Amino acid sequence: MWSPRMALGAALLPLTLLVIRDVPASPPGPPESEATDSAPPPSAPRPAIVSRADWHADESMVRERARYTGPASAVFVHHTGHPNGYDCDDVPAMLRALEVEHVKGEGWDDIGYNFVVDRCGTIYEGRAGGIERPVYGAHTKGFNRNSVGVAALGTYGEGQEVPRAVVDAIARVAAWKLRPGVDPRGTVRLVSTNDESRYDEGEAATFRVISGHRDSHQTDCPGQALYDLLPAIREETARLRRP
């Protein structure tokens, strides 16, 4: 008989199929604003982050070199669609399976999200290109420019419990990555770069600085339970950015 750990490991590849409904629609087009390979000084300290090297990402699978955009004016929150009862020790293997799904299953050049957080509050580097740098992601099609995508590993639909550690981890990433001067409780005006979101290409849209994926697309992501906690994430992010 398999142990629970062995059973989960064997199920990792099939579980990637559960992710499809809430992942980004497709790879991004070229950045349309100023691009840079560096970011301004952060308004909050960098949190502890597990690097791609530490979770053993398969760099040979990455199809294109990373591209860069301007400093982040917005954060889009996602969930991945995985079952919630995973052992946090198994997250590196889950991320490797997610990498396979995004690259070989969806045909993308890399993982779409800039960062992934697990239910224990650990933050993982997602898309390659450098933790400190403003990597152009593939998390929120039409609005990847000057934004960061953070995905909670799990499914957080209505009635699901969202661990406080998830809220805190997303806030730590947002507080660090948002450019100086941005109020996490405020709004931001972004211009759509294509017609595959709720907004036509070239159309301006106003979002909360910390928004859910559903604010830009027809999707449940990041799930109602996590979406309902976005105000708490905004408040915690603002607290972390206070001088």
Side-chain angles (χ1 to χ4, degrees), residues 108-173:
W108 304 344
D109 54 350
D110 194 3
I111 286 180
Y113 313 116
N114 297 108
F115 298 94
V116 179
V117 305
D118 70 16
R119 67 186 186 89
C120 296
T122 303
I123 303 167
Y124 292 84
E125 179 183 13
R127 196 169 184 82
I131 290 173
E132 300 280 357
R133 303 165 75 182
V135 177
Y136 194 99
H139 49 86
T140 308
K141 191 167 186 182
F143 299 100
N144 292 306
R145 184 177 64 186
N146 301 344
S147 70
V148 170
V150 185
L153 194 65
T155 301
Y156 293 109
E158 188 169 4
Q160 295 288 335
E161 179 182 356
V162 182
R164 179 69 200 191
V166 169
V167 171
D168 290 343
I170 296 172
R172 292 198 303 274
V173 174

Side-chain angles (χ1 to χ4, degrees), residues 32-226:
E32 297 182 9
S33 67
E34 72 282 1
T36 178
D37 62 1
S38 61
S43 296
R46 191 188 103 174
I49 298 172
V50 178
S51 70
R52 288 172 63 94
D54 286 339
W55 61 262
H56 301 294
D58 184 352
E59 302 299 353
S60 69
M61 199 182 300
V62 178
R63 295 178 173 176
E64 295 182 11
R65 294 181 61 184
R67 292 173 291 171
Y68 301 93
T69 182
S73 297
V75 173
F76 286 98
V77 177
H78 303 254
H79 69 177
T80 65
H82 288 83
N84 293 341
Y86 56 85
D87 187 324
C88 290
D89 289 341
D90 292 314
V91 170
M94 296 172 73
L95 292 177
R96 292 192 293 274
L98 184 64
E99 182 184 21
V100 171
E101 174 58 32
H102 281 197
V103 176
K104 294 187 176 181
E106 296 295 327
W108 304 344
D109 54 350
D110 194 3
I111 286 180
Y113 313 116
N114 297 108
F115 298 94
V116 179
V117 305
D118 70 16
R119 67 186 186 89
C120 296
T122 303
I123 303 167
Y124 292 84
E125 179 183 13
R127 196 169 184 82
I131 290 173
E132 300 280 357
R133 303 165 75 182
V135 177
Y136 194 99
H139 49 86
T140 308
K141 191 167 186 182
F143 299 100
N144 292 306
R145 184 177 64 186
N146 301 344
S147 70
V148 170
V150 185
L153 194 65
T155 301
Y156 293 109
E158 188 169 4
Q160 295 288 335
E161 179 182 356
V162 182
R164 179 69 200 191
V166 169
V167 171
D168 290 343
I170 296 172
R172 292 198 303 274
V173 174
W176 167 56
K177 291 300 288 187
L178 283 171
R179 65 177 176 80
V182 172
D183 182 356
R185 298 162 297 190
T187 59
V188 61
R189 182 177 177 272
L190 302 175
V191 177
S192 176
T193 60
N194 60 63
D195 296 326
E196 297 182 33
S197 70
R198 292 179 182 269
Y199 301 91
D200 294 334
E201 181 177 357
E203 183 179 357
T206 299
F207 296 101
R208 301 299 298 263
V209 167
I210 299 176
S211 288
H213 187 195
R214 67 169 63 176
D215 293 322
S216 67
H217 285 72
Q218 297 287 351
T219 175
D220 291 336
C221 188
Q224 190 62 48
L226 183 52

